[in-house]
Amino acid sequence: MRVTIQQIADRAGVSRGTVDRALNNRGRIAPEVAEKIRNIAKELGYTPAIRKRSEIKKKKIKIGIINQLAKSSFMLEVNKGIQQAKEELTEWGIEIIVKEVFSVDEKIQLKYIEELAELGIDGLAIMPVNCESIRSKLNWLIEQKKIPVVTFNSDIVGTKRCCFVGMDNQKSGQTAAGLMNMLTGGIGKILIITGFFSNSVNNSRVDGFIEEIKNNYPQLSIAGVNASFDEAEEVERIIENAIKDVSGINGILVVSGGQSGIAKAFEKLNIEKRPYVIIYDKTPKNEKILKDNVADFLIDQNSYIQGYRPPYILANILGKGQMPQSEFLFTDINIKTKYNL
């Protein structure tokens, strides 16, 4: 089996683009890193596929990317991955066209899918709104236009997309339930805060959490599931009202954005002992929440990889005819505390 650039990148702990620059003497890379990469390539017996690379350049491939919640703290990390892949793939003659959606809006997504199709894209990576109109439009793109589609971060059932890149959100919710059981000793009431009820990622996390609680931790109960629309002020209001109105809340799970509202709520309530708290996504604001002892655990999903990997998957499909090895390419479920950030 031929050694791939990805295998060299994994061994060296760098990106595929960095490996490419090192092996092709393009500069913009530290000499010691380039030397390390070349040694690994030699050790693994790597031989460059020059013909395939030139074929990719001749095809002038266009890849479209459509996201959601583009300005959220989580998406800032995803976007870093997208921009890095865009920079690297541009050197290979591949054009990346990004369309940003600032909310969960099926109409805007439909509009952007149509715009990208008119621009002549060859492949599409999308964080889809899980609804019938998007499902139908993606199947039209795949079946009628013969354009491969990769979903990332959020998935959509009933389509013929190539693969999904992201966290197994159901399992992450189960993971959060196990952590909450350890924190609370298996007794108490848990308040759940989600972002948008229309967001399939949020729903899967909540479903996984509730399912695990019901099946394995019968002395834990759910004090409510509330939507914050990823707004810190709304997270603050939900926590403040819930703790005032419901006695015995000793755990809070926030599966979406707006986590900075947690600290403000605790400050207003001025309670002697705060509830145990689990949040999602390793962002600068959330790292501060952990360091300040406002939350106990953070579940991270490698958001950078979710942005970086889909354009490369499509480039391989379109340029080399190389399909992904699995339908589900799950990122790790990483558990963080203030001690291992």
Side-chain angles (χ1 to χ4, degrees):
M1 183 178 293
R2 189 175 68 85
V3 176
T4 66
I5 283 180
Q6 185 63 60
Q7 289 172 307
I8 299 170
D10 291 342
R11 178 77 69 88
V14 298
S15 72
R16 292 167 54 144
T18 301
V19 172
D20 176 63
R21 288 194 289 274
L23 297 180
N24 291 284
N25 298 310
R26 289 201 180 108
R28 293 165 53 201
I29 179 173
E32 62 274 15
V33 176
E35 183 65 22
K36 177 183 177 183
I37 290 168
R38 285 192 285 269
N39 288 338
I40 291 172
K42 184 177 180 181
E43 178 188 337
L44 294 177
Y46 172 76
T47 55
I50 297 173
R51 183 183 61 82
K52 288 185 177 179
R53 182 170 178 269
S54 64
E55 285 176 359
I56 289 176
K57 283 191 170 182
K58 286 176 184 177
K59 288 182 180 179
K60 295 182 179 177
I61 293 169
K62 287 184 181 179
I63 293 173
I65 299 178
I66 303 174
N67 59 25
Q68 293 182 35
L69 304 168
K71 295 301 182 185
S72 66
S73 55
F74 162 75
M75 276 306 300
L76 294 178
E77 293 301 308
V78 176
N79 288 338
K80 286 180 184 177
I82 292 172
Q83 291 305 315
Q84 182 66 33
K86 180 178 180 179
E87 178 186 329
E88 294 171 4
L89 289 171
T90 297
E91 296 180 4
W92 290 63
I94 297 175
E95 182 181 359
I96 306 292
I97 306 169
V98 181
K99 297 286 188 179
E100 293 193 326
V101 183
F102 299 106
S103 60
V104 181
D105 193 315
E106 64 179 282
K107 290 182 180 179
I108 294 178
Q109 280 206 343
L110 284 171
K111 174 173 172 277
Y112 283 162
I113 292 170
E114 290 170 357
E115 285 183 6
L116 289 169
E118 289 175 4
L119 288 171
I121 60 166
D122 301 290
L124 175 67
I126 184 170
M127 287 175 61
V129 178
N130 193 0
C131 63
E132 188 54 40
S133 62
I134 297 296
R135 186 175 297 108
S136 297
K137 184 61 71 173
L138 291 179
N139 280 330
W140 166 79
L141 207 65
I142 296 163
E143 295 170 352
Q144 301 298 319
K145 296 291 186 178
K146 308 301 180 186
I147 295 174
V149 173
V150 171
T151 57
F152 64 101
N153 185 254
S154 60
D155 202 6
I156 185 167
V157 297
T159 65
K160 296 182 179 179
R161 54 103 179 98
C162 298
C163 67
F164 165 70
V165 179
M167 179 186 274
D168 185 333
N169 288 291
Q170 185 88 7
K171 280 190 176 179
S172 83
Q174 293 172 323
T175 301
L179 293 172
M180 192 63 79
N181 174 67
M182 289 190 291
L183 289 168
T184 60
I187 300 172
K189 296 177 183 177
I190 312 302
L191 172 66
I192 302 174
I193 301 176
T194 185
F196 292 82
F197 288 127
S198 59
N199 188 313
S200 61
V201 170
N202 295 344
N203 293 340
S204 293
R205 293 172 181 174
V206 173
D207 289 347
F209 185 87
I210 292 175
E211 177 188 348
E212 190 70 9
I213 293 292
K214 286 182 177 179
N215 290 341
N216 294 302
Y217 312 121
Q219 289 183 282
L220 285 174
S221 62
I222 306 303
V225 181
N226 297 267
S228 69
F229 313 106
D230 291 331
E231 297 290 341
E233 294 81 4
E234 192 64 16
V235 170
E236 177 185 342
R237 186 194 67 79
I238 290 168
I239 293 173
E240 190 177 356
N241 290 343
I243 289 180
K244 284 179 180 177
D245 297 340
V246 181
S247 63
I249 292 178
N250 61 340
I252 298 173
L253 172 69
V254 184
V255 302
S256 57
Q259 297 98 323
S260 59
I262 301 169
K264 292 181 180 178
F266 289 164
E267 186 178 342
K268 277 188 177 181
L269 289 164
N270 194 27
I271 47 183
E272 186 174 335
K273 183 182 179 183
R274 67 162 174 82
Y276 298 106
V277 177
I278 299 173
I279 59 177
Y280 271 78
D281 299 325
K282 188 174 177 288
T283 66
K285 285 183 179 179
N286 287 348
E287 288 182 8
K288 186 176 188 306
I289 289 172
L290 276 186
K291 290 175 181 176
D292 290 346
N293 293 314
V294 174
D296 301 283
F297 288 111
L298 179 153
I299 298 177
D300 185 54
Q301 57 178 316
N302 284 334
S303 50
Y304 177 90
I305 293 299
Q306 293 184 29
Y308 182 82
R309 198 170 184 187
Y312 270 101
I313 292 170
L314 288 166
N316 284 333
I317 292 171
L318 296 164
K320 305 178 183 179
Q322 180 181 319
M323 297 299 292
Q325 293 181 345
S326 173
E327 180 184 356
F328 298 98
L329 303 174
F330 290 129
T331 54
D332 291 336
I333 299 173
N334 293 323
I335 300 169
K336 298 290 184 181
T337 69
K338 67 178 181 180
Y339 301 107
N340 71 338
L341 281 172

